[in-house]
Each structure stands twice: as C-alpha cells, then as structure tokens.
Amino acid sequence: MKQLTINAYSRETAGTSSSKRLRREGKIPAVVYGKTKEPVNLYIDASDFRIALKELGNNSPVVQLKSEGGDSKTSIIKGVQRHSVTDKYLHIDFHEVAEGELIKVAVPVHPTGEAFGVKTEGGTLEYVLQAVHVRCSSKDIPEFVEADVSELKVGDSFHVKSLPAIDGVTYLDHPEQPVYSVAK
Amino acid sequence: MPALTPSRTKYRKVMKGRMRGNAKGGDTMAFGDYAVQSLERGYFTGNQIEAARVALTRYMKRKGKLWIRVFPHKPVTKKPLETRMGKGKGAVDHYVAVVKPGTILFELAGVTLPIAREAMRLADTKLPFKTRFITRDR
C-alpha cells in the first residue's frame, strides 16, 4: 500500500479570520488528534495535499504526517472539508494512529466479473454500498475489497457476509446488509 | 403533465424568504456515479424537474438509475389576472425547490460516461440556472 508523506506546520492562531488568511496564502488549516494525543492545530500546503490525494486516489487514507521537528507519524485522513462550489479544500482532520491501534475506516468495494443477470437476463448491477466499514490496524487497511458478483441473477443481492475474509480485518457493517443487487 | 407537489403541507402558504449563501447540505454526491450540480441560485419548479427527468430518461432509454435530489416543498402564490391589489395573499399556484449554488440536482448510475454526459446536457437545457457535470472521481 502506498504511503505518502505530507509536511505539516504548527499554527498558533485558530478561528475564522486566521483560517481565511491561511487559505488565501494557499495553505489549508488542519488538526491532528489521537487516542493518546492532545489535538494540535496545523496547516499544510494546498498543492502538496492535492498532489498527495491524487497519488493516493480513493484507495487509502493512510499518510505519514511530518511535523516541523522532523519526526513523521502515521496518520489517517479522517475528514476533508471542501467548498461546495469551488471544490477548494477548507480543512483537514488527521487522526494519529498508535502502533497496533485498531481503527475504523471505510474501504471501497470493487465488483469482479460480470453478473449473470446483467449478461443474460438484461438486468442492471446496482450498488447499495460504495464502501464497507472495517476495523483493522493501519498497516492492514486493504486498498479495496473485491466482490465476486458473477453468479448474481436478476433479483439477487450480494451481502456483506459474502465478502472475502481478509486477515486482520473485521467487517463492521451488518452481515445481511446488501452491497450489490441486480435489478431488471 | 402532472407536476411534482407535496402530498400534504403543514402550512398552506409560506413567506418568500431569502436564498443567500451556498448549499449547506445536499452538496455532495451520495448515490450515483455522475451528477449535475447547480452553480447558481433560484427556484426550481415541479414542472421543470419533471421536464428534466423526462429528458434524462428518454435519452437513457429507461436504462440506468436516476436520483432526483431536490423536491419542490415551497408553495408559490399568485393573484388572479386583472385583480386589484390588496384583499389578501393569492392562491397557491405551484411549488418550487429552493436551489442554492452547490446543490446536487440529479444523480445517475448504471450508464456509461458519454451517455450520462449527454443525458445530463439534455436535462440541463430544461433548468433555469447554470450547472456543471461532475463524476465520482473528481
């Protein structure tokens, strides 16, 4: 799994006006927190973050957050706030993960194979869930979970309980929760 | 053509209100792979929603899945023609959805990108404001 390093700088000020000033300078206000860590206000470079997200795609939220002191800590991108019209990043939440700490993340589900109902019965594969919630350590986060939908007929559903078991990963969604369904 | 209207309302008539600012909710894609997002503000009437829906489904030939993310909850009143001013507020004429910049109007899934793009373009011609086409991996 790819892990990128993002440079973070601490900031003394907080609030609307200082955050707006940072955004005007091409920086994004951010915060990092963790189970054994007090929340710390930071800022990161907007272009750095954009490049990092492009590299990561939707597959992994894990990054190495490098502070001014020089040490980098494993963190996950917990939340990204964007402007509804301009799509500019407004604020980022990082969650610092301790060694061996179990975290809850959403992992995208990818269908494999063509459903029987789509190929021969003229149905459409509809997804109910874009991603499933899993609990695992930061180094065990899968890039995606594959769902073999090839045997689905029209009216059938693929449930969370049918997803492949992955070592160190626990699915948190209800086992009977549908992920895909084939509709006429 | 039956327009979209609420089945029942708490109050028959409401005040105009203002529509300042950008969308606070309904501004992210939630269901489909493609969406049309409003870039302007205005009233989206039930008739316009229905016209856009017909344009979309006709082009997609009833394939794929469509989500309409707005609903006309707000009643708009109108006085009869050639009526003197006064004598109270007019009767409810139609219902509108209040759309602010950033609101997602329609979402689509189960069709290819070129079909979705063209279908959304056709729907866009029925809309009273500027929009943009967005995909899930933006």
Side-chain angles (χ1 to χ4, degrees):
Chain A
M1 197 200 320
K2 282 184 214 166
Q3 273 202 19
L4 290 161
T5 305
I6 296 176
N7 290 319
Y9 310 93
S10 63
R11 61 184 160 114
E12 300 298 314
T13 54
T16 310
S17 54
S18 69
S19 298
K20 276 184 178 173
R21 203 174 307 123
L22 281 173
R23 289 183 197 116
R24 269 200 299 273
E25 292 165 6
K27 293 156 188 163
I28 312 171
V31 64
V32 61
Y33 43 78
K35 218 170 190 178
T36 56
K37 186 182 169 77
E38 283 291 306
V40 178
N41 289 332
L42 306 166
Y43 71 85
I44 56 173
D45 194 63
S47 58
D48 276 3
F49 185 72
R50 216 174 294 120
I51 293 164
L53 267 200
K54 209 171 182 182
E55 287 261 327
L56 287 170
N58 287 333
N59 297 332
S60 166
V62 181
V63 291
Q64 294 291 327
L65 201 63
K66 193 174 179 187
S67 60
E68 278 168 297
D71 55 332
S72 58
K73 297 272 175 65
T74 306
S75 306
I76 58 167
I77 302 170
K78 191 81 176 174
V80 177
Q81 291 176 29
R82 295 177 78 165
H83 192 273
S84 55
V85 181
T86 60
D87 275 351
K88 280 183 181 164
Y89 295 106
L90 300 177
H91 188 269
I92 317 293
D93 275 33
F94 292 101
H95 178 189
E96 194 175 295
V97 184
E99 189 76 30
E101 185 188 334
L102 293 178
I103 49 171
K104 185 180 154 187
V105 285
V107 179
V109 188
H110 292 179
T112 55
E114 196 178 0
F116 178 83
V118 175
K119 202 158 54 175
T120 57
E121 296 175 314
T124 322
L125 184 71
E126 290 179 355
Y127 49 79
V128 185
L129 288 185
Q130 303 273 357
V132 285
H133 292 96
V134 299
R135 182 178 284 133
C136 57
S137 66
S138 65
K139 58 180 189 300
D140 289 335
I141 300 174
E143 280 192 20
F144 54 87
V145 183
E146 287 192 336
D148 183 13
V149 294
S150 54
E151 285 173 20
L152 290 187
K153 293 173 185 161
V154 168
D156 287 354
S157 297
F158 187 95
H159 299 93
V160 169
K161 66 182 177 190
S162 310
L163 287 170
I166 305 169
D167 283 345
V169 176
T170 315
Y171 296 112
L172 297 177
D173 292 304
H174 194 278
E176 294 294 335
Q177 165 72 43
V179 184
Y180 291 102
S181 66
V182 179
K184 190 74 180 171
Chain B
M1 189 171 64
L4 275 173
T5 54
S7 56
R8 74 190 182 95
T9 53
K10 191 168 183 181
Y11 300 106
R12 211 156 38 94
K13 298 170 188 176
V14 298
M15 290 200 271
K16 275 184 195 167
R18 292 288 177 269
M19 37 186 166
R20 296 185 295 187
N22 294 329
K24 284 197 291 183
D27 58 341
T28 51
M29 220 188 297
F31 305 105
D33 295 325
Y34 316 103
V36 166
Q37 188 181 34
S38 170
L39 297 176
E40 290 177 337
R41 73 193 73 242
Y43 284 159
F44 196 11
T45 68
N47 281 336
Q48 287 164 345
I49 296 173
E50 179 62 14
R53 186 195 67 80
V54 169
L56 273 166
T57 47
R58 271 199 191 147
Y59 187 78
M60 295 193 304
K61 298 191 178 75
R62 296 202 299 278
K63 280 181 185 156
K65 195 169 178 183
L66 170 71
W67 288 266
I68 303 171
R69 294 286 307 276
V70 285
F71 186 82
H73 288 289
K74 190 184 177 78
V76 174
T77 60
K78 204 174 178 183
K79 278 178 173 289
L81 288 175
E82 297 178 6
T83 314
R84 287 180 189 274
M85 288 297 109
K87 307 291 176 204
K89 199 171 165 81
V92 174
D93 184 56
H94 60 280
Y95 289 85
V96 296
V98 177
V99 170
K100 291 181 179 183
T103 307
I104 301 284
L105 305 174
F106 298 101
E107 289 189 36
L108 267 180
V111 288
T112 59
L113 176 64
I115 290 177
R117 200 181 281 278
E118 179 60 14
M120 293 294 203
R121 188 193 66 77
L122 291 170
D124 181 43
T125 61
K126 311 288 181 193
L127 306 184
F129 18 67
K130 279 184 189 165
T131 61
R132 68 173 173 182
F133 177 78
I134 54 173
T135 58
R136 190 159 280 280
D137 303 311
R138 63 177 158 135

